[in-house]
Amino acid sequence: GMYGYILPGTGRHLLISASGGLAYTAVDNPWDSRKTIGIPMELRLSFRPIRYFGISTAAYVNINPINTYSGILLGIQIGKLY
């Protein structure tokens, strides 16, 4: 699981958060199958111009001894956001 922190004072329409924790990671491909513990981290920026719609982007990384990986996410948020 991950534990996070939301930057205070960013307002109702802008949300900046960071989270991290421990992860169980499995590498499974035709020539190898291993399991390990990783440290996932995420930094997220969300913009919610109206109550029922928002957009977000996040950068993530999972640091582990077998296969560290990272990426960027883009998202659309729909529903009751605040």
Side-chain angles (χ1 to χ4, degrees), residues 18-52:
S19 57
L22 288 175
Y24 174 75
T25 303
V27 175
D28 214 3
N29 56 49
W31 59 89
D32 194 11
S33 180
R34 294 185 281 171
K35 298 164 181 62
T36 187
I37 299 295
I39 301 172
M41 293 180 277
E42 179 185 279
L43 181 62
R44 180 174 298 269
L45 174 66
S46 299
F47 177 63
R48 301 169 181 164
I50 59 176
R51 185 177 184 134
Y52 295 97

Side-chain angles (χ1 to χ4, degrees), residues 4-17:
Y5 179 77
I6 298 173
L7 188 68
T10 55
R12 194 166 82 173
H13 300 292
L14 182 64
L15 176 79
I16 301 171
S17 64

Side-chain angles (χ1 to χ4, degrees), residues 23-27 38-41 60-64 66-71:
Y24 174 75
T25 303
V27 175
I39 301 172
M41 293 180 277
Y60 65 90
V61 63
N62 184 323
I63 301 168
N64 65 73
I66 295 175
N67 184 26
T68 295
Y69 58 91
S70 61

